[in-house]
Amino acid sequence: MCNSDSMEHSDPPSPGEAPSDSSVLRAVGLITGDMRLCGEWVKRQVLVVQLLDWVLRGVAQVMFVNNPISGLLITTGLFLQNPWWALNALIGTFVSTASAVLLGQNREAISAGLHGYNGTLVGMLMAVFSAKGSWYWWLLLPNVFMSMLCPVVSSALSSVAGKWDLPIFTLPFNILLCLHVAATGVNHPYFPEVDFKPNQDHLLALNDTVQSLHVSQLLLSVPVGVGQVYGCDSPWTGGLVLLALLLCSPTICFHAMWGSAAGMLSGFALAAPLEDIYSGLWGYNSALSCIAIGGVFYVLTWQTHLLAVVCALFCAYMTGAVSKLMSVLALPACTWPFCLSTLIFLLISSEIRAICRLPLFRVSNPEQNRRYWRQLKEKEKAEQSREDGEQNGGPNFTLVVDLARSETA
C-alpha cells in the first residue's frame, strides 16, 4: 500500500515526464489483465470481430487467462509446435463457442471464453493422439462433432457442480476425448489412435537415473510442462505460453512455473522415465492445479500459496496413479489428475480467514481477486467501527466519511 504522506510531500514530476509516464502506464493497462476496455469495445462491433475475440480468449482460458493478446501468443506457440494441431485447436474453439451461442448460454461467459477452452483441448488433443499424422482432413469430422458437444456437457456438469459453487474445469474435455479414444481405438480404419499400453519398464534404478540425468533438459522441462497443457513438448511453445501468462497475470505465470517444477521433481522422486519428465508429462497437471489454488479460486495469501504447492505435489502423485489406471484401459490420463486433485482442495473447510475461497461469479485473475478481498476487509472494518460507535453512543465518524465518499463519487 502507498503511503499518502510521502506522496503529498514528494516533489511533483516535471511537466515533460508526467504525460509520458501516464501514457505508458495507460498503454500497459490496456493490454494487461483481462482487457476489460477491449471487451467493452468488442461488444459494439460486428459478430465476426466478437467471435475472433471470444476464440482468442477461449484459447487462453485453458490457463485461466482472460486476455485475447495472451490467446494470440499461445496460438502462435501452437503453430510453432505443429500447424495442423493448431488448426484443429482453433476449429474446436470456434465450434464450441458457436454452439454455446446457438444453445443460448450465458453471453458474459461466452465473451470471456469460458465456452471455448474445452473445445480448444478437444480439437488439439484429438489431432495429437491421431495415428494418421498431420493433414488428415477426415479428422475434422469427429473434431467438429465433439467440439459441438462441449457446451452441452459443460452446461450439464455446471448444473450439478453449481450446487456447491464449484467450477467444472476441463471435465468436458476429459469426458469427450476419452469417449472418442475408447470408441475408435488403435485399429480403427478411419480414425486410429496412438497406443496407450502401460509401460512395464517404467521403474529405473536410482544410480542409472542419476548418471543419465541432464540438468539442462531438467530445467527446460519446467516451461515444457506448461506447454504440455496444450499437448506441446516444444520449449518455445512453453516459453510463449509463459509470456502470455505474464502479460495477463504475473501471479499466474509464477504459479505455473512453480507447479510444473513441483510435478517434475515429484516425477523424478517416483522414478518415472526421464523421457516423460523431460517432455513435461509430469508438469502440466501440477501447473494447472497450482494456478487454480494459488490465487484464482482462492485469494492469494501466503497460506493459500503453500496450499497451492501442496496441491501441486498431490496432483503429481495423482498423475502417476491415474496414468497407470488409464493405460490399462488404453486411455490417456488427460487432465483427470488436475480436476480430481483441485476439486478436493476446493472442497476443504478451514477456520483460517486467510484461506478464502471466492464465489464463482467473483473469480478473476489473482490481482483483481486480491483487490476485491481488500475491499471486503475494509468494508468489514468500517461496519465494525460503525457498530462500535453506535454502542458507545458517540458520533459515527465512519458513516460520515462513507457518505462523503459516496457523494463525491
Side-chain angles (χ1 to χ4, degrees):
M1 297 180 64
C2 298
N3 191 337
S4 58
D5 295 335
S6 62
M7 292 177 64
E8 290 177 358
H9 295 287
S10 61
D11 296 331
S14 61
E17 294 177 353
S20 60
D21 293 342
S22 60
S23 61
V24 171
L25 292 176
R26 191 180 302 111
V28 172
L30 289 175
I31 62 174
T32 56
D34 58 3
M35 293 184 64
R36 185 170 301 176
L37 292 179
C38 175
E40 296 296 331
W41 175 81
V42 167
K43 290 179 181 179
R44 301 189 297 268
Q45 306 307 311
V46 296
L47 183 59
V48 176
V49 177
Q50 294 182 22
L51 282 173
L52 178 61
D53 180 73
W54 299 346
V55 167
L56 292 177
R57 290 178 187 267
V59 172
Q61 279 286 7
V62 176
M63 305 295 298
F64 305 102
V65 167
N66 182 15
N67 188 306
I69 298 182
S70 297
L72 183 61
L73 288 173
I74 294 174
T75 302
T76 303
L78 300 184
F79 274 99
L80 286 178
Q81 173 75 40
N82 189 305
W84 171 246
W85 296 357
L87 178 62
N88 278 269
L90 290 178
I91 291 175
T93 311
F94 171 77
V95 172
S96 179
T97 304
S99 299
V101 175
L102 295 177
L103 286 173
Q105 300 298 304
N106 182 269
R107 186 55 65 97
E108 291 296 327
I110 295 174
S111 62
L114 295 178
H115 284 285
Y117 69 94
N118 278 294
T120 304
L121 293 176
V122 167
M124 185 77 181
L125 273 300
M126 283 180 63
V128 172
F129 294 147
S130 175
K132 286 289 187 178
S134 299
W135 310 112
Y136 181 66
W137 295 100
W138 289 108
L139 185 65
L140 296 180
L141 294 177
N143 182 358
V144 170
F145 180 68
M146 289 297 173
S147 300
M148 182 179 62
L149 292 176
C150 283
V152 177
V153 179
S154 298
S155 179
L157 292 176
S158 296
S159 63
V160 177
K163 297 180 180 179
W164 294 276
D165 199 34
L166 290 173
I168 60 172
F169 293 131
T170 55
L171 286 175
F173 153 69
N174 291 325
I175 294 172
L176 292 172
L177 184 66
C178 289
L179 178 65
H180 171 74
V181 173
T184 54
V186 179
N187 299 319
H188 196 275
Y190 308 116
F191 307 112
E193 305 296 325
V194 296
D195 196 0
F196 295 101
K197 289 182 179 179
N199 187 5
Q200 301 295 337
D201 301 326
H202 69 281
L203 294 177
L204 302 176
L206 182 60
N207 293 331
D208 295 339
T209 303
V210 174
Q211 292 176 0
S212 59
L213 183 65
H214 299 282
V215 178
S216 59
Q217 294 185 15
L218 201 63
L219 294 176
L220 280 177
S221 67
V222 175
V224 170
V226 177
Q228 275 288 4
V229 175
Y230 295 89
C232 300
D233 59 358
S234 170
W236 294 104
T237 301
L240 281 175
V241 173
L242 287 174
L243 180 60
L245 301 184
L246 181 64
L247 179 66
C248 179
S249 171
T251 303
I252 289 181
C253 180
F254 171 77
H255 281 90
M257 292 188 296
W258 195 266
S260 181
M264 175 265 292
L265 293 176
S266 299
F268 186 71
L270 292 174
L274 290 179
E275 293 78 10
D276 293 347
I277 298 176
Y278 293 154
S279 60
L281 294 178
W282 279 82
Y284 70 96
N285 278 298
S286 295
L288 289 173
S289 296
C290 196
I291 293 172
I293 302 300
V296 175
F297 294 95
Y298 281 103
V299 177
L300 181 62
T301 58
W302 69 266
Q303 292 94 336
T304 54
H305 171 69
L306 293 179
L307 193 67
V309 175
V310 174
C311 182
L313 295 173
F314 175 71
C315 184
Y317 274 76
M318 185 79 75
T319 298
V322 172
S323 298
K324 292 179 182 178
L325 292 175
M326 298 293 283
S327 64
V328 175
L329 301 175
L331 294 175
C334 298
T335 56
W336 286 108
F338 151 65
C339 293
L340 296 175
S341 59
T342 308
L343 286 174
I344 290 174
F345 273 72
L346 288 180
L347 286 171
I348 65 174
S349 59
S350 174
E351 295 183 357
I352 302 176
R353 297 194 60 180
I355 302 179
C356 174
R357 183 163 75 92
L358 294 166
L360 286 184
F361 71 93
R362 285 293 184 181
V363 169
S364 182
N365 59 67
E367 289 77 12
Q368 291 188 6
N369 293 339
R370 181 77 177 178
R371 285 192 290 268
Y372 171 70
W373 186 55
R374 287 176 178 173
Q375 292 174 0
L376 286 181
K377 291 179 66 177
E378 292 175 358
K379 185 178 179 181
E380 289 179 358
K381 290 180 180 179
E383 292 178 352
Q384 184 65 36
S385 61
R386 185 182 298 115
E387 292 177 358
D388 294 340
E390 292 176 353
Q391 291 176 0
N392 296 331
N396 196 342
F397 295 105
T398 307
L399 180 60
V400 175
V401 173
D402 291 341
L403 289 176
R405 288 180 179 176
S406 62
E407 288 176 359
T408 56

